[in-house]
Amino acid sequence: MAFWNRWVAIRTEGGSRAELIDRLQAHLKAGGLKSKITNESGSLKRIHVLKKDLDQAKTLLETFDEEH
């Protein structure tokens, strides 16, 4: 359970929007953040960042949302 102690989910997408998770991961990586993607039931994808990076991730997420 160490995974859940260190990581926090910042976005979940499903269906045709699930591809956005992969693009978001590339955006976070370009911003210097590590992230992990988990596949939930069905076609849902969830992206996680380290808890210590949450504030920076939120800023990058806002930028990503403005561009897409």
Side-chain angles (χ1 to χ4, degrees):
M1 289 290 178
F3 177 84
W4 301 116
N5 291 333
R6 294 177 49 210
W7 297 86
V8 60
I10 59 168
R11 168 91 29 109
T12 302
E13 295 287 356
S16 63
R17 294 182 51 89
E19 74 170 67
L20 286 176
I21 296 294
D22 297 322
R23 292 161 71 188
L24 177 55
Q25 185 176 41
H27 183 75
L28 293 174
K29 184 177 181 179
L33 292 184
K34 290 175 70 175
S35 61
K36 299 217 183 264
I37 295 176
T38 57
N39 292 310
E40 304 299 321
S41 61
S43 64
L44 289 179
K45 284 178 135 179
R46 185 169 287 155
I47 188 163
H48 308 262
V49 296
L50 291 169
K51 285 182 181 179
K52 67 179 182 74
D53 295 332
L54 185 57
D55 289 336
Q56 185 180 0
K58 286 180 181 179
T59 301
L60 290 170
L61 188 57
E62 288 176 11
T63 304
F64 179 82
D65 287 340
E66 289 172 5
E67 294 173 357
H68 297 89

